Amino acid sequence: MIIDILSWILLLGGGLLGIIGGIGMHWFPDVYSRQHAAGTTDTLCAMLILLGLALQAGFSLVTFKLALIFIFLLFTNPTASHALANAAMQGGLRPQLERTAGGDNP
Amino acid sequence: MMDFIIGHYNYWVSIFLMMVGFYAVISRGNLVKKIIGMNVFQVSVFLLYISISTVEQGSAPIFTEGVELYSNPLPHVLILTAIVVGVATTALGLALVVRIKEAYGTIEEDEIHELDHTL
Amino acid sequence: MIEVFIDIILLSFIAVTAVAILRMTNLFAIIMLFGIFSFLSASLFAVMDAVDVAFTEAAVGAGISTVLMLATIALTKTQKEKVSVSHRHWLPLSVVIVTGAVLVYGTLDLPAFGDPEAPAQTHVAPYYIDKAVEETGLPNMVTSVLASYRGFDTLGEVVVVFTAGVAVLLLLGGKHRISDTGTNEIEKNEHSLILRVVAKFLIPLIIVFALYVQFHGDFGPGGGFQAGVILSAAIILYTLVFGLDAAERVIPPSILRILASLGVLIYTGVGIVTILLGGNYLNYSVLGDSKVAGQHLGILLVELGVGIAVFAVLLVIFLTFAGRGRP
């Protein structure tokens, strides 16, 4: 019962972070700040959901597979964010430093 | 009425996607866009087949103790192979696009037609 | 009920994505959206219990197709689609609307989604579902239908994939005359340390996973097609991070060409062996001591052939595209 409640808290928290990340993608003005929002979705959201699912599954083969996915995400998502930001930097996009209203491009 | 809509929504969305892909193929001049339109069309066909294979309350067609109702494995097989064949043929189409670009210097259909007439 | 809900939401997402693909003009954005489109359809397949199909679509649609399309726009150096005003849009639009209306009219007679009494569910499918496990000894019915009951179909598909690979080689494989295509994007990018370290760590894991998918495909979702795609994705990742020359040192193109033919040869060879042992073409029952053991062995070999062929062909296609831009 407690495990059930805990896993639901984790799942809902993950879902909430996903929605926040989605809003952030539209909210933020330039590539780098948007990436911050996307990074939240990539890492914490996915991991909370995986943890919640692992608690739901109990101790079984499924949990082991979820743990493998967890490790995989732990390595790949930050790397993907890094590669994306790096590519944007090399492509000549500069971070937007002043506070301006709206506008996609710095 | 509601049951009818829920029961046919899948098919309608498949047809909608099919028409979007079809429209991209016949109305757009860019060859890469045409190929992507073809791919959208292709996915819509996959969707239609998988929709047909689904059985309510059925589970994935992998034998498990205590499960009686499975979805139909035959469309899965057809579509599984079709996806891989699809990517191979898409690659062939893209290779043709690259060759057209090298020969004509453009991948817009209008410009290719013009070049053909002036030759 | 919840499944219907998820189904409808995913379908709506897919429809919106398709319209966005149609309306956009930036090719790079279109290709990225197409990747999202593929992922959405893969999730939809998973919701509709087609796990093997979802697996394939996720690996192929989001992985290989996207990379190939990106390679194409890099080679053709086209960023934006030209939207010409001279095009009359009403003609294609009316053609599409009429065709769509006719097709929708046709669906009205179709059995409802998920109907267990639908004709598709009552002819040959019950035989597969009842007998496949007992006749082939494999829990995954998709694998047994793919490799055994419908072995001829699959042989045809593998040959089509092989032929497409040969055709791409013929079109793009040779030296090309125009020298002004510029430097290759893959060649000149010096990737950062982080990327190289993580790639080195990940690629062996991806290869192990591909082997797991290959040999566990009899029992769970997976099989030769998926394994081949995942394995080639591992090498494509290697190429993207370490460069084309390094990848060609790891797997020389000549070996890949041999592997592609070898895969098809294994498949057809199993068929010849079954004839020599007194059975029909691709009837694996004669391969082993008992029928079930023979089926099991035959399916394993055929899946291996499929895996090798798909891996080699997809990689040949990718390396040919990547090598085209080489100065």
Side-chain angles (χ1 to χ4, degrees), chain A residues 65 71-72 75-76 79-80 82-83 86 90, chain C residues 189-190 192 194-195 198 201-202 205-206 212:
Chain A
K65 286 180 183 169
I71 295 173
F72 191 77
F75 280 99
T76 49
T79 315
H82 164 78
N86 205 22
Q90 280 185 357
Chain C
N189 261 359
E190 264 304 311
S192 68
I194 300 177
L195 214 54
V198 173
F201 165 77
L202 277 181
L205 287 185
I206 299 176
Y212 166 79

Side-chain angles (χ1 to χ4, degrees), chain B residues 30-46:
Chain B
N30 187 295
L31 296 176
V32 174
K33 181 97 173 216
K34 270 182 199 283
I35 286 183
I36 291 175
M38 248 169 64
N39 269 298
V40 171
F41 194 112
Q42 199 179 336
V43 170
S44 80
V45 176
F46 301 162

Side-chain angles (χ1 to χ4, degrees), chain C residues 152-238:
Chain C
F152 273 56
D153 276 16
T154 312
L155 176 61
E157 313 271 19
V158 173
V159 174
V160 171
V161 171
F162 177 71
T163 316
V166 172
V168 169
L169 261 184
L170 285 174
L171 280 170
L172 296 182
K175 290 254 180 279
H176 67 128
R177 293 158 286 139
I178 307 161
S179 55
D180 63 353
T181 38
T183 50
N184 192 353
E185 295 292 318
I186 295 164
E187 285 298 299
K188 76 177 179 198
N189 261 359
E190 264 304 311
H191 280 297
S192 68
L193 187 65
I194 300 177
L195 214 54
R196 275 182 282 143
V197 169
V198 173
K200 263 187 189 161
F201 165 77
L202 277 181
I203 288 166
L205 287 185
I206 299 176
I207 293 174
V208 169
F209 181 63
L211 292 176
Y212 166 79
V213 169
Q214 170 81 48
F215 294 108
H216 195 259
D218 306 352
F219 304 98
F225 283 101
Q226 292 93 328
V229 174
I230 293 170
L231 201 56
S232 59
I235 309 291
I236 288 174
L237 176 64
Y238 187 84

Side-chain angles (χ1 to χ4, degrees), chain C residues 34-97:
Chain C
F34 184 70
I36 295 175
F37 182 80
S38 290
F39 254 132
L40 280 173
S41 58
S43 344
L44 200 57
F45 294 151
V47 170
M48 294 198 277
D49 296 325
V51 279
D52 281 278
V53 183
F55 201 168
T56 321
E57 176 70 31
V60 167
I64 312 282
S65 299
T66 313
V67 168
L68 288 179
M69 286 173 186
L70 287 179
T72 309
I73 62 164
L75 282 177
T76 54
K77 294 215 287 299
T78 320
Q79 285 298 323
K80 278 188 100 63
E81 173 194 14
K82 286 197 188 97
V83 183
S84 56
V85 277
S86 66
H87 261 295
R88 273 170 301 183
H89 283 295
W90 57 266
L91 182 63
L93 195 64
S94 51
V95 166
V96 161
I97 288 174

Side-chain angles (χ1 to χ4, degrees), chain B residues 7 10 33 63 72 99 102, chain C residues 7 22 24 113 139 171 324:
Chain B
N10 270 44
K33 181 97 173 216
F63 180 76
N72 191 343
R99 282 308 291 260
E102 285 171 6
Chain C
D7 183 60
L22 186 65
M24 283 203 162
F113 173 65
L171 280 170
R324 191 64 174 178

